Amino acid sequence: MKILHAADLHIDSPLRGLSRYEGAPEDDLRLATRRALENLVRLATGLSVDAVLLAGDVYDGGWTDYHTGLFFSRQMSRLRQAGIGVYMVSGNHDAQNRTMKDLKLPDNVHVFSTDVPETVRDERIGLAVHGQGFAEWDLRDNLATGYPVRDDGLFNIGLLHTGLEGGYTEHKRYAPCTIADLEARGYDYWALGHIHTRQIVAQEPWIVYPGNIQGRHARETGPKGCTVVTVDDTDLRVRAVEHHDLDAARWERLDVDVTGLDDVDRVLGAVQRRFQAIPEERLTAVRVALTGATSAHTAMWRDREQMLNQLRAAAGHHTHLWLEKLDLKTTGEDLGDSGVDAAGVLADVRRVLKALGADPERLTAELSRHPLAGVIPSEAKGPDGVTPDDPAWVRNLADDAYQLVESLLQEAR
């Protein structure tokens, strides 16, 4: 028996902020979630899987365009033609969507109830799937404790969209539960959704987050896809749990250590060599972070825009690459005698930033009181935009401020 487990498709998810970037491949990135779903269907039919599990957030919030739903329905019809059943639960984003509830899907798709847990059995292949979807987007109830007991003689799967206790802090705790709650049901495999990073939580029983099938912004880096579970037909035990890439476009962070490189041209050359090593299999949106101590530090900070455009041009020589952003995290040489108490100024700046960094709540509170905080346009906000209520974003801003002060003092030498 082969089962494909996927979650967090977020079909037609808006890729916020792309218009801010010159030359961004908007069409390719905007259609990436659709291409990833097509890849899922192609993989499922190619492997002749017995079932497809979708663990929530097929859709992306309150979209009202029926074309998104119709596209999903067409892909499910392709699975129907291949004789593949689909089992899906609604997640928090699906529950926000009213249009979805009026969409009739092909008869090979079973959407689990949002009122009570239910069980769907396929005696032909020896499968029992237990599940319950979200009735409301901000569901805080522990759904897992209400799931039915296992069906003896069948391979039992729990299908659930949940934020496990003790899991990733950047994801809200919708339908929270514990590992012990899942273990208590006695199932063979828990097919989870909601966390966008692939994670095998446990193996006895198997508790798996496959991650989302397509990264949607620069924080969702690396391979994205689904999990294929192989079950022994004789003893109904899991024999293999394998990740398969599905993403049509990929976000990557490229950390380049430029320590000892003494001019901008050498730095550019180091980045270009890293570009050449990126596979050509798919469009890759790259964020380059330059680190290390270099005498080119001041020149790079002084001409950041020129540096960015030179690297964008270098990335443009590769049809599969797009440079999303350049982060300068370099440091300069010892300032020595610059005519100002440079070392003292930097020490004072670093001391203040360190104190703020140790108190994230104070850091965000200070920024929220700034006059500009109330006039930030909505299009500038988002997962990779201006987020003054995110301590990590504010700390990065503080680091950039330090680097700018350092580069200005370097220039004053």
Side-chain angles (χ1 to χ4, degrees):
M1 188 194 310
K2 282 189 181 293
I3 299 163
L4 189 152
H5 166 206
D8 301 281
L9 283 57
H10 291 279
I11 305 170
D12 290 343
S13 170
L15 297 166
R16 301 179 183 86
L18 283 181
S19 59
R20 299 199 303 269
Y21 301 115
E22 182 67 29
E26 293 192 50
D27 289 343
D28 290 336
L29 289 172
R30 204 175 306 283
L31 292 173
T33 54
R34 291 196 177 205
R35 301 293 85 84
L37 178 55
E38 290 173 340
N39 291 340
L40 183 155
V41 171
R42 192 175 298 113
L43 177 67
T45 54
L47 294 177
S48 297
V49 302
D50 296 283
V52 168
L53 311 172
L54 301 179
D57 284 358
V58 167
Y59 305 110
D60 192 74
W63 59 262
T64 57
D65 186 351
Y66 266 105
H67 289 94
T68 303
L70 292 174
F71 173 78
F72 176 67
S73 182
R74 284 196 300 272
Q75 298 309 309
M76 296 304 99
S77 293
R78 290 176 58 196
L79 293 176
R80 181 181 184 276
Q81 291 170 2
I84 299 172
V86 180
Y87 305 86
M88 60 182 283
V89 293
S90 56
N92 52 292
H93 279 270
D94 299 322
Q96 287 179 287
N97 191 284
R98 301 301 173 195
T99 310
M100 166 194 169
K101 298 184 177 175
D102 298 327
L103 182 68
K104 185 172 178 57
L105 294 170
D107 58 12
N108 64 316
V109 179
H110 181 86
V111 181
F112 283 82
S113 169
T114 60
D115 298 324
V116 294
E118 59 174 321
T119 301
V120 179
R121 300 170 184 84
D122 187 337
E123 304 280 357
R124 177 181 56 87
I125 61 173
L127 179 66
V129 183
H130 315 274
Q132 181 179 354
F134 278 42
E136 52 192 22
W137 71 269
D138 59 346
L139 183 70
R140 304 292 175 173
D141 298 335
N142 185 337
L143 297 181
T145 55
Y147 274 43
V149 297
R150 65 171 285 113
D151 272 9
D152 290 335
L154 299 176
F155 186 79
N156 285 252
I157 293 176
L159 186 58
L160 179 64
H161 196 79
T162 178
L164 273 178
E165 295 291 351
Y168 290 84
T169 56
E170 65 265 30
H171 291 273
K172 294 184 178 178
R173 291 291 187 273
Y174 295 129
C177 63
T178 66
I179 293 175
D181 293 332
L182 303 183
E183 292 173 338
R185 308 324 297 160
Y187 299 165
D188 303 292
Y189 184 93
W190 277 96
L192 304 185
H194 184 53
I195 305 301
H196 289 190
T197 302
R198 173 173 165 76
Q199 182 184 11
I200 296 179
V201 179
Q203 296 186 23
E204 288 290 340
W206 287 90
I207 302 173
V208 177
Y209 282 109
N212 52 345
I213 67 170
Q214 172 60 57
R216 300 177 302 152
H217 50 74
R219 293 187 187 181
E220 295 185 346
T221 58
K224 298 292 182 179
C226 66
T227 296
V228 174
V229 184
T230 303
V231 181
D232 192 302
D233 292 330
T234 304
D235 59 8
L236 296 180
R237 291 184 62 84
V238 174
R239 294 305 178 202
V241 173
E242 301 169 305
H243 171 82
H244 289 259
D245 294 346
L246 297 174
D247 47 348
R250 186 167 295 174
W251 301 85
E252 293 285 8
R253 178 182 174 91
L254 206 62
D255 291 298
V256 183
D257 186 353
V258 297
T259 299
L261 302 185
D262 54 10
D263 61 53
V264 172
D265 286 340
R266 292 187 65 192
V267 171
L268 290 171
V271 177
Q272 289 169 353
R273 286 190 292 275
R274 294 291 299 275
F275 283 166
Q276 292 170 359
I278 297 175
E280 300 182 9
E281 299 170 359
R282 59 181 58 77
L283 171 67
T284 302
V286 183
R287 174 173 296 189
V288 172
L290 301 181
T291 62
T294 170
S295 55
H297 171 80
T298 301
M300 289 191 295
W301 270 90
R302 183 183 59 234
D303 300 317
R304 290 184 73 180
E305 193 67 23
Q306 180 180 347
M307 184 82 178
L308 173 64
N309 288 328
Q310 286 177 305
L311 286 176
R312 282 222 167 112
H317 296 159
H318 307 273
T319 57
H320 65 292
L321 290 187
W322 170 60
L323 179 65
E324 177 262 342
K325 187 176 181 181
L326 172 64
D327 279 342
L328 289 179
K329 302 296 183 184
T330 55
T331 57
E333 298 173 324
D334 185 3
L335 288 169
D337 183 10
S338 63
V340 295
D341 185 11
V345 171
L346 285 175
D348 288 341
V349 172
R350 177 57 75 190
R351 191 179 305 112
V352 171
L353 294 177
K354 185 176 181 181
L356 288 172
D359 187 355
E361 292 184 1
R362 178 188 168 198
L363 192 61
T364 53
E366 291 285 347
L367 193 63
S368 66
R369 287 193 287 269
H370 193 282
L372 290 176
V375 295
I376 299 173
S378 59
E379 60 269 19
K381 299 179 181 179
D384 202 50
V386 178
T387 50
D389 56 345
D390 180 358
W393 180 86
V394 179
R395 279 196 296 271
N396 285 334
L397 185 66
D399 286 341
D400 284 350
Y402 177 83
Q403 301 289 358
L404 179 59
V405 170
E406 184 186 39
S407 66
L408 290 172
L409 289 174
Q410 284 273 13
E411 203 166 9
R413 293 179 64 180

